[in-house]
Amino acid sequence: MDPELIAVVAVIVAAMAFDYTNGFHDAANAIATSVSTRALTPRVALAMAAVGNFIGAHLGTEVAKTVGDDLVSLPVGVPSLGVVFAGVLGAITWNLITWYFGLPSSSSHALFGGLVGATLLASFGAVQWGNIVSKVLIPMVLSPIVGLILGFIMMVAIMWIFRRGHPGKLNRGFRLAQTFSAAAMSVGHGMQDAAKTMGIVVLALYTGGYQSSATHIPEWVYWASATMLALGTYAGGWRIIRTLGRKIIDLGPAEGFAAETVASSVLYFNAQVLHAPISTTHTITSAIMGVGATKRLSAVRWNVAGNIVIAWVTTFPAAALIACVIYVVVRPLF
């Protein structure tokens, strides 16, 4: 069999494995609030999230192009496929580590860190630092801040608008509303996270010489990426779901609706307007913190939030370091 084909297939298989781990690692992003408020049963929520991810994948074309063409520059050839392979395995490894400890770290930044780390060791590769700063690092800092502020504002608005409502009726109404906000969150997750895997597959096809464009996305790539993300999501990531849904604050239906609405809006804006691959994990977690802060600052379990922030900060360099080690090991094979 052609060595280029073997290498391309290896990278695509690794990308699909990452997509699956991304699904069960980030399932919490879409359903934790709905499950914790009992708006949806866990399996119904997971099924809805899987369908939403599948739909969102077909709306994330621009994010995929950013990942495939704007972050690292690699020449056509089998050695470049070794770089991509090591980067993806680095991201998978970090995903599994943080999943084991129940930390909602960013699969997106694990992937970007893995790619950058492996590329730095390759003499023929180049990291596009300008794009890394503008499209990864700045959004990494701003999206949680925006989610925190908007979550706070959204919850204050809900409390004022419904200040005279009957608590029981309001809870029932917001549980119903969460069906729609959770669905929107699921689509936003697919729009961002399935698109990142699509970008990796396209990068593999380009560096392997199987297509001349670094931005064209074949239709089968949409379906494969969306399917694996949906399967991973349906498998569930219960450790992280418990962290997001119950350990940061005690969420009620109104708080869950506010957090999901804010997070999905931020995801849509970045994907459709800015074409920026942001972290769904950062966005929903910060929105939950902002919503919780409207009760009182002590309502947010800041020690748990602090552990999550540490995971956020360390994800990019940790995945990069792991990818470097993996690249040293696999380089002789490519």
Side-chain angles (χ1 to χ4, degrees), residues 16 19-21 23-24 49-51 53-58 190 194 197-198 219-235:
M16 293 299 113
D19 208 19
Y20 185 84
T21 64
F24 76 71
V51 173
N53 284 338
F54 197 86
I55 295 171
H58 289 76
T197 299
M198 294 191 302
E219 185 61 28
W220 69 266
V221 175
Y222 285 98
W223 288 94
S225 299
T227 299
M228 292 305 296
L229 185 65
L231 289 173
T233 299
Y234 191 71

Side-chain angles (χ1 to χ4, degrees), residues 200-216:
I200 294 299
V201 174
V202 168
L203 181 60
L205 293 173
Y206 172 72
T207 55
Y210 283 88
Q211 67 178 44
S212 59
S213 171
T215 57
H216 171 67

Side-chain angles (χ1 to χ4, degrees), residues 22-38 40-47 49 98-105 232-249 251 260 281 284-285 288 304 308:
N22 191 357
F24 76 71
H25 188 280
D26 287 3
N29 296 338
I31 71 167
T33 52
S34 299
V35 171
S36 65
T37 62
R38 297 180 176 85
L40 298 170
T41 63
R43 286 301 169 190
V44 169
L46 279 169
T98 52
W99 166 80
Y100 179 81
F101 289 103
L103 292 175
S105 66
T233 299
Y234 191 71
W238 299 110
R239 295 172 185 265
I240 296 171
I241 288 171
R242 283 192 290 270
T243 298
L244 272 184
R246 298 182 181 178
K247 291 186 179 180
I248 298 176
I249 66 167
L251 287 170
E260 290 170 340
T281 306
I284 186 61
T285 307
I288 290 173
V304 176
I308 293 172

Side-chain angles (χ1 to χ4, degrees), residues 247-300:
K247 291 186 179 180
I248 298 176
I249 66 167
D250 294 317
L251 287 170
E255 290 88 354
F257 172 78
E260 290 170 340
T261 301
V262 165
S264 59
S265 298
V266 173
L267 292 175
Y268 285 21
F269 181 80
N270 278 273
Q272 297 298 314
V273 179
L274 301 181
H275 307 156
I278 67 167
S279 168
T280 54
T281 306
H282 291 190
T283 306
I284 186 61
T285 307
S286 60
I288 290 173
M289 292 178 187
V291 165
T294 60
K295 295 181 177 181
R296 61 187 186 281
L297 289 178
S298 60
V300 179

Side-chain angles (χ1 to χ4, degrees), residues 7-142:
V8 169
V9 170
V11 173
I12 292 175
V13 169
M16 293 299 113
F18 167 78
D19 208 19
Y20 185 84
T21 64
N22 191 357
F24 76 71
H25 188 280
D26 287 3
N29 296 338
I31 71 167
T33 52
S34 299
V35 171
S36 65
T37 62
R38 297 180 176 85
L40 298 170
T41 63
R43 286 301 169 190
V44 169
L46 279 169
M48 184 178 70
V51 173
N53 284 338
F54 197 86
I55 295 171
H58 289 76
L59 303 175
T61 301
E62 295 303 325
V63 172
K65 291 178 179 178
T66 296
V67 174
D69 192 43
D70 292 348
L71 303 184
V72 297
S73 296
L74 296 167
V76 174
V78 173
S80 293
L81 291 167
V83 173
V84 181
F85 184 75
V88 175
L89 288 188
I92 292 173
T93 303
W94 185 249
N95 268 357
L96 293 175
I97 291 171
T98 52
W99 166 80
Y100 179 81
F101 289 103
L103 292 175
S105 66
S106 169
S107 294
S108 304
H109 294 138
L111 181 60
F112 303 152
L115 277 178
V116 168
T119 301
L120 286 174
L121 282 191
S123 60
F124 50 82
V127 178
Q128 300 186 45
W129 288 112
N131 288 337
I132 292 291
V133 171
S134 64
K135 297 186 178 183
V136 176
L137 298 183
I138 291 178
M140 181 175 73
V141 174
L142 290 183

Side-chain angles (χ1 to χ4, degrees), residues 169-189:
K169 291 182 178 179
L170 288 177
N171 281 339
R172 287 192 295 271
F174 277 112
R175 281 196 179 98
L176 178 62
Q178 272 196 275
T179 303
F180 299 98
S181 60
M185 187 69 201
S186 301
V187 173
H189 181 231

